Amino acid sequence: MLAWTALVLVGNSWYSLVCAPGLAVLTTQVVFIGHDAGHNQISASHRVNRWVGLAAGNLLAGISFGWWVPKHNAHHARPNQIGEDPDIGTGVLAFTFTGEDAVARAGVRRRIARWQAWLFVPLLMAEGVGLHITRADHLLRRRDRAAIFEGLLLLIHTAAYLNLVLVFLSPVRAIAFMAVNQAVLGLYLGLSFAPNHKGMPVLGAGSRMPFAIRQVVTARNIAGGRIVDFVLGGLNHQIEHHLFPTMPRPNLMKVRTMVRSFCSENDLPYTETTLLESYRLSIRHLAAVARSASPAV
């Protein structure tokens, strides 16, 4: 509400663009709440979590909760495993270049893969729009009662968003506002989720690694205290989150010592680094994958 109030007060001015990043940051924080709801962290009632998730995801952020939950659950079940984790599947960025992923990448997608380390930030800035396209495609394919309800919430979100922007801004400024807002949204979301697993070991398609080992070796924590906790929505405690996905966000820090001791006793790597170092490792991994794609481009 603060960002929208600021937009109304500023009015039809280019200064309104200053409000666009603020709205994107607040929207991302709402997405973090939807993430918590998707893991049943907010309430003991599955129904309450679902309603919170629908309100945060569909109504406030414009992201389909029904599409995201099964996709994210699949990631948690087999993180960084080829053919199982949708987060390293055949998306715009290539996190592996073997098997079906290599076959699926041709033409423009293959050329993007070649330069993806350099295109990392621009591609993340397009992720906001990509999420809206994906949600629409998913709901149109489902066509069930739940999809209709989700679609209604998304239509309310879209109508309210466009109405507020177009009423208070001229068409040119409205387009500029939406472009900045969606770019920052995609960038913030991408930079929040990328540090967690990108650049960590990628498991083969047939891996049968035990649960605890799988979750620990494929995840990375981000150091930085309460400020990083807030900025990343608790995702910086990724190892603890993957071991205890239904644990409420504030409690993840409390089990950190226990998890570190468990890893030490079982000779498991407990990977923790700074935020900037995590980005360096992620981009280095993207560059390594790009080199494997280059000869065939």
Side-chain angles (χ1 to χ4, degrees), residues 66-263:
W67 160 77
W68 178 82
V69 168
K71 173 181 178 294
H72 195 61
N73 286 343
H75 157 70
H76 267 263
R78 295 287 189 274
N80 270 23
Q81 183 167 337
I82 296 173
E84 300 288 346
D85 184 356
D87 287 356
I88 61 168
T90 54
V92 177
L93 292 171
F95 296 104
T96 65
F97 209 79
T98 58
E100 294 181 2
D101 185 75
V103 173
R105 292 184 184 278
V108 174
R109 293 184 65 196
R110 201 174 183 96
R111 294 186 181 278
I112 289 176
R114 181 181 181 182
W115 297 102
Q116 63 181 6
W118 296 96
L119 296 173
F120 179 59
V121 170
L123 289 173
L124 288 184
M125 293 174 71
E127 183 65 17
V129 175
L131 286 173
H132 296 313
I133 295 174
T134 301
R135 78 181 188 189
D137 179 67
H138 171 76
L139 292 177
L140 289 173
R141 289 175 182 274
R142 280 174 54 190
R143 297 185 181 181
D144 54 22
R145 185 177 298 178
I148 293 174
F149 180 68
E150 279 204 56
L152 178 61
L153 292 178
L154 290 171
L155 284 175
I156 293 173
H157 166 85
T158 303
Y161 179 88
L162 292 176
N163 185 61
L164 284 168
V165 172
L166 293 173
V167 164
F168 292 101
L169 298 176
S170 66
V172 173
R173 289 182 177 129
I175 292 173
F177 179 93
M178 289 186 286
V180 172
N181 174 240
Q182 293 301 308
V184 175
L185 175 63
L187 184 62
Y188 188 6
L189 283 172
L191 292 180
S192 298
F193 284 90
N196 306 331
H197 301 277
K198 305 306 179 274
M200 296 301 290
V202 175
L203 307 180
S207 173
R208 292 294 181 265
M209 193 175 290
F211 171 82
I213 298 176
R214 176 193 301 274
Q215 303 302 333
V216 170
V217 301
T218 59
R220 177 195 295 120
N221 277 12
I222 305 300
R226 296 189 181 277
I227 293 177
V228 174
D229 282 359
F230 173 77
V231 171
L232 297 183
L235 297 175
N236 48 309
H237 301 290
Q238 194 66 197
I239 296 174
E240 289 77 13
H241 172 56
H242 264 257
L243 289 172
F244 309 103
T246 61
M247 180 176 288
R249 190 196 311 180
N251 293 336
L252 294 174
M253 184 184 296
K254 298 177 182 179
V255 299
R256 184 171 178 268
T257 301
M258 180 187 72
V259 172
R260 287 181 70 100
S261 296
F262 168 81
C263 292

Side-chain angles (χ1 to χ4, degrees), residues 276-296:
L276 291 178
E277 176 65 7
S278 74
Y279 295 142
R280 188 188 71 81
L281 294 172
S282 298
I283 293 175
R284 188 176 72 176
H285 176 72
L286 290 174
V289 173
R291 286 193 295 271
S292 68
S294 296

